[in-house]
């Protein structure tokens, strides 16, 4: 039997794929934009809506990196507002375990689960840079190595809080005057090296028991954390080969924790450009790539590798002859890309060779070496590719990142989704009411304890 595909809509926000210069591009902050994208996702029967998190604006050369779309409203506020205008769509937010406290976060998710009727999802991230931490009272207080230890304790503490209430604790029996069925509802006491807390948790259990847990770290520790605790993993491995390798790796870790392969879904991020024909889509994709990599963006991107101010260079000219500055990146703070350049001198050499062989300018080179769209083609081609990747175990579905807000998902909803539904690999109607049900995950009370 074919696997069922899971789909989510990522509100693009601060992201290097977001095109803000297009005349059709709307606000990244006004509620109407969130509402529009969420309603489209729900109309298309998507599993969930997804918000990433950035706790500090990125900077480059000591200035705000204003070519990123600026602004990232608070996750819980946005998701709570969306709960009121949607009915079935899962509402998933990225919340950091390094800079928050378990009681506070558990309370926020329990509240969201209650008021959305069981649709809350939590993408637990740790963050890796001290730069982000400077915004908080403890600064970048945890070494990267310790962050997953804290994340694991954080999550298990939050679970204790969710589990301090059982279904049926609130009886509110008017005849007998009994409100709670047991006196110790909500009682908790937790002590470990990171958290020492005790008291009463003040939000009774939501319909899902615990929110759905997503995890997005890619390191060995991140993958292990996902295998031990998460219901789904958000990855950046969306192609067949890389996807299959990642899928096999994380699913292979589950048995160690007494879990089955179905208990952790693999959902890579994916971008897409559609067209009436494949050729038309390719042409549109070329235009989108040029919108995503403006001349200024190309220079800034090059600076992230070179670790130097390159503002005097012409984006339509050749690559710099000077070499990158090796060592701590002082130019581009808070950017994940700087972590990926393992050996800047070698990468610069490869880029120069590529540019020379194909006569590429700086801008053309950056377009070439930065991620292109995952799916490009007619609706039929894209539906086929998505299904193929899922059936061949490169993923269990995708978290789609449109490049335009608020209507960047419309064409996908109108043309690709019906084709997946016709094939019987994507739901035509929601079968359940909770996010857990959409994802085919058991209620925590009805599965073996981790
Ligand atoms: C696909 C993907 C999406 C991510 N989204 C976010 C995010 O929105 N906010 C955030 O703070 N970190 C995000 N991260 C960072 C990770 O959660 C994690 O904190 C970081 O990658 C360090 O862990 P690692 O060394 O295991 O990768 C993302 C990572 C991946 C792979």
């Amino acid at each position: 039997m074919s696997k069922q595909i899971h789909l989510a809509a990522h509100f693009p926000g601060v992201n290097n794929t977001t095109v803000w210069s297009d005349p059709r591009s709307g606000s990244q902050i006004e509620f109407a934009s969130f509402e529009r994208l969420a309603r489209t996702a729900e109309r298309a029967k998507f599993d969930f809506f997804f918000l990433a998190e950035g706790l500090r604006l990125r900077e480059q050369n000591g200035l705000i990196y204003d070519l990123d779309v600026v602004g990232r409203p608070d996750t819980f506020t946005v998701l709570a507002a969306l709960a009121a205008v949607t009915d079935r769509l899962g509402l998933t937010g990225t919340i950091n375990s390094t800079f928050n406290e378990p009681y506070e976060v558990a309370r926020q998710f329990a509240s969201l689960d209650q008021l959305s009727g069981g649709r809350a999802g939590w993408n637990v991230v740790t963050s890796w840079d001290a730069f982000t931490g400077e915004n908080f009272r403890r600064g970048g207080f945890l070494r990267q190595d310790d962050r997953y230890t804290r994340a694991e304790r954080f999550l298990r503490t939050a679970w204790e809080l969710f589990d301090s209430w059982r279904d049926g604790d609130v009886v509110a029996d008017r005849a007998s005057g009994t409100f709670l069925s047991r006196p110790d509802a909500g009682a908790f006491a937790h002590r470990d090296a990171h958290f020492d807390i005790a008291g009463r948790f003040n939000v009774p259990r939501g319909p899902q028991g615990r929110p759905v847990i997503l995890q997005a770290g890619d390191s060995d520790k991140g993958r292990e954390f996902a295998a031990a605790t998460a219901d789904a993993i958000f990855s950046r491995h969306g192609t067949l080969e890389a996807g299959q390798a990642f899928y096999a790796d994380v699913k292979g870790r589950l048995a160690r924790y007494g879990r089955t392969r179905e208990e952790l879904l693999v959902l890579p991020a994916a971008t897409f450009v559609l067209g009436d024909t494949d050729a038309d889509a390719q042409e549109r994709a070329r235009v989108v790539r040029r919108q995503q990599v403006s001349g200024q963006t190309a220079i800034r991107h090059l600076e992230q590798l070179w670790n130097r101010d390159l503002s005097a260079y012409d984006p339509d000219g050749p690559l710099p002859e000077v070499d990158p500055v090796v060592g701590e990146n002082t130019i581009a703070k808070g950017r994940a890309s700087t972590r990926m350049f393992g050996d800047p001198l070698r990468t610069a050499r490869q880029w120069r060779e590529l540019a020379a062989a194909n006569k590429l300018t700086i801008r053309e080179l950056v377009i070439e070496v930065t991620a292109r769209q995952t799916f490009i083609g007619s609706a039929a081609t894209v539906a086929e590719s998505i299904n193929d990747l899922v059936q061949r175990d490169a993923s269990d579905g995708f978290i789609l990142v449109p490049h335009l807000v608020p209507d960047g998902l419309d064409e996908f909803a109108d043309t690709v989704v019906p084709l997946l539904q016709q094939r019987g690999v994507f739901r035509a109607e929601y079968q359940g009411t909770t996010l857990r049900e959409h994802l085919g995950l058991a209620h925590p009370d009805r599965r073996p304890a981790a």
Side-chain angles (χ1 to χ4, degrees):
M1 211 179 93
S2 296
K3 280 163 72 183
Q4 286 293 304
I5 296 170
H6 296 286
L7 292 174
H10 184 310
F11 188 88
V14 180
N15 205 306
N16 53 12
T17 56
T18 308
V19 173
W20 55 265
S21 55
D22 191 287
R24 290 166 298 172
S25 177
S27 168
Q28 302 285 325
I29 299 169
E30 286 168 17
F31 182 62
S33 289
F34 292 102
E35 181 179 13
R36 177 67 206 279
L37 191 77
R39 282 190 190 275
T40 307
E42 187 162 72
R43 168 165 75 77
K45 317 295 177 202
F46 272 35
D47 294 71
F48 60 92
F49 177 93
F50 180 90
L51 286 179
E53 179 183 68
L55 292 171
R56 181 165 177 177
L57 287 178
R58 294 157 173 169
E59 291 180 15
Q60 196 148 320
N61 296 338
L63 299 171
I64 297 290
Y65 187 90
D66 63 351
L67 297 173
D68 269 351
V69 176
V70 163
R72 182 98 82 175
D74 172 68
T75 297
F76 287 110
T77 315
V78 173
L79 295 182
L82 288 178
V85 297
T86 54
D87 187 36
R88 297 293 180 91
L89 187 67
L91 300 168
T92 300
T94 302
I95 294 291
N96 201 290
S97 61
T98 302
F99 307 114
N100 292 299
E101 293 299 323
Y103 188 92
E104 175 188 39
V105 170
R107 185 163 180 259
Q108 287 163 317
F109 273 113
S111 305
L112 182 64
D113 207 48
Q114 285 284 5
L115 63 81
S116 65
R119 296 186 283 139
W122 173 12
N123 180 32
V124 186
V125 297
T126 57
S127 109
W128 48 273
D129 66 319
F131 176 73
T132 299
E134 285 171 10
N135 265 359
F136 293 85
R137 84 195 131 97
R138 296 195 190 97
F141 75 108
L142 265 189
R143 287 182 344 120
Q144 203 183 321
D145 279 359
D146 295 333
R147 293 186 177 203
Y148 277 113
T149 315
R150 179 177 160 105
E152 215 248 343
R153 302 281 147 76
F154 192 112
L155 186 56
R156 293 202 185 276
T157 309
W159 281 346
E160 281 177 38
L161 298 173
F162 296 130
D163 294 348
S164 67
W165 286 86
R166 296 186 207 131
D167 293 346
D169 275 344
V170 179
V171 289
D173 182 354
R174 290 188 183 87
S176 65
T178 311
F179 190 75
L180 292 180
S181 66
R182 60 183 177 111
D184 55 347
F188 68 91
H190 177 99
R191 172 176 287 192
D192 65 33
H194 288 267
F195 307 106
D196 182 1
I197 56 174
R200 293 285 181 133
F201 189 56
N202 63 0
V203 190
R205 206 146 204 232
Q208 294 189 110
R210 301 170 182 170
V212 167
I213 301 298
L214 277 82
Q215 201 290 130
D218 201 17
S219 62
D220 188 62
K221 279 193 171 167
R223 293 177 187 204
E224 210 57 34
F225 176 50
T229 62
D231 299 306
I233 184 160
F234 180 25
S235 94
R236 55 169 73 94
H237 309 289
T239 59
L240 180 64
E241 221 166 273
Q244 283 178 330
F246 182 80
Y247 193 94
D249 179 282
V250 294
K251 297 256 180 180
R253 294 171 190 247
L254 291 165
R256 275 207 281 287
Y257 301 97
R259 305 181 69 203
T260 67
R261 291 168 71 83
E262 292 70 41
E263 290 179 67
L264 176 68
L265 301 174
V266 175
L267 304 174
T271 51
F272 58 90
V273 177
L274 296 162
D276 293 337
T277 60
D278 288 349
D280 176 35
Q282 290 290 351
E283 185 46 40
R284 285 169 70 179
R286 264 192 292 278
V287 173
V288 175
R289 289 296 290 140
R290 285 187 72 78
Q291 286 180 312
Q292 287 169 331
V293 185
S294 67
Q296 285 166 289
T297 302
I299 295 291
R300 300 277 176 86
H301 187 84
L302 215 59
E303 287 180 344
Q304 290 163 20
L305 175 68
W306 254 257
N307 196 14
R308 284 176 184 275
D309 180 348
L310 301 175
S311 53
Y313 284 80
D314 176 3
D316 297 319
L319 267 67
E321 280 168 12
V322 290
D323 277 332
V325 175
V326 179
E328 187 196 349
N329 194 303
T330 53
I331 282 280
K333 293 185 172 173
R335 292 213 71 108
S337 58
T338 59
R339 282 173 93 211
M340 299 181 198
F341 300 135
D343 180 350
L345 292 174
R346 197 166 130 237
T347 307
R349 210 162 42 239
Q350 287 165 347
W351 287 7
R352 284 197 187 108
E353 284 165 16
L354 187 66
N358 299 288
K359 299 195 173 42
L360 302 178
T361 63
I362 289 177
R363 185 176 180 194
E364 290 164 343
L365 183 274
V366 174
I367 288 175
E368 196 57 36
V369 298
T370 51
R372 62 197 67 236
Q373 298 91 351
T374 322
F375 300 114
I376 304 173
S378 65
T381 300
V382 170
E384 171 84 36
S385 309
I386 289 177
N387 189 40
D388 189 52
L389 288 164
V390 171
Q391 304 309 334
R392 293 170 73 184
D393 283 351
S395 84
D396 294 309
F398 290 93
I399 297 183
L400 297 173
V401 195
H403 59 270
L404 285 179
V405 159
D407 54 6
L409 200 61
D410 291 24
E411 199 178 353
F412 189 97
D414 293 332
T415 64
V416 180
V417 169
L419 296 177
L420 296 173
Q421 289 167 331
Q422 275 166 28
R423 281 169 178 256
V425 291
F426 188 67
R427 71 175 69 80
E429 282 303 331
Y430 289 108
Q431 300 300 314
T433 57
T434 67
L435 174 56
R436 220 169 254 295
E437 288 167 333
H438 303 338
L439 295 172
L441 301 165
H443 189 285
D445 291 352
R446 294 183 271 288
R447 67 170 188 222

